[in-house]
Amino acid sequence: MSVGTVWVHTEVAEGSVASITLEILAKAREISSDVVAIVGGDGDAVAAELGAHGATTVLATGDLGGALPGPSVAGAMAAAIAGGAAPAAILIGTTYGGRDVAGRLSVKLDAPVITNIVDLIDEGGLVGTEPVFGGASFVKT
């Protein structure tokens, strides 16, 4: 595993980590030994579950006061990157919440979002596999 730090956007539903986040954590720990879970809200309640599924660090925005997590999570990620944190990749699920964070983060960082990745591997750098032509073929990006 030569990939540096990988951040995983964490979604929490009804007090536990959403299954899409657990799937992404599994992929993240395949490609990196340094996996950071980013939680919108209080991360204490889910830190043990995230650690059991491969997160080496859990970062949380803190109490959101009932606000939607997207703006806070994207802002916190952008601020951390501006402060010198430089993850090799940020993995975000294709849910409503994930798309909200990805879109906002893309604008804040002036960086593209690569979507529709069905696999991500380390080939001396991260390489994504994307389906094209209705899934008839796959390309590496």
Side-chain angles (χ1 to χ4, degrees), residues 29-94:
R29 71 174 183 254
E30 280 181 24
I31 60 174
S32 176
S33 59
D34 187 12
V35 177
V36 177
I38 312 287
V39 180
D42 181 16
D44 290 342
V46 294
E49 184 177 9
L50 291 168
H53 285 88
T56 55
T57 305
V58 176
L59 300 177
T61 61
D63 184 20
L64 297 175
L68 293 174
S72 296
V73 171
M77 286 178 164
I81 291 168
I90 301 171
L91 306 182
I92 301 174
T94 54

Side-chain angles (χ1 to χ4, degrees), residues 114-121 123 126-132 137-141:
I114 301 173
T115 61
N116 300 330
I117 299 289
V118 295
D119 196 14
L120 189 62
I121 56 175
E123 290 185 356
L126 289 176
V127 177
T129 301
E130 295 182 71
V132 295
S137 296
F138 293 90
V139 295
K140 290 185 177 184
T141 55

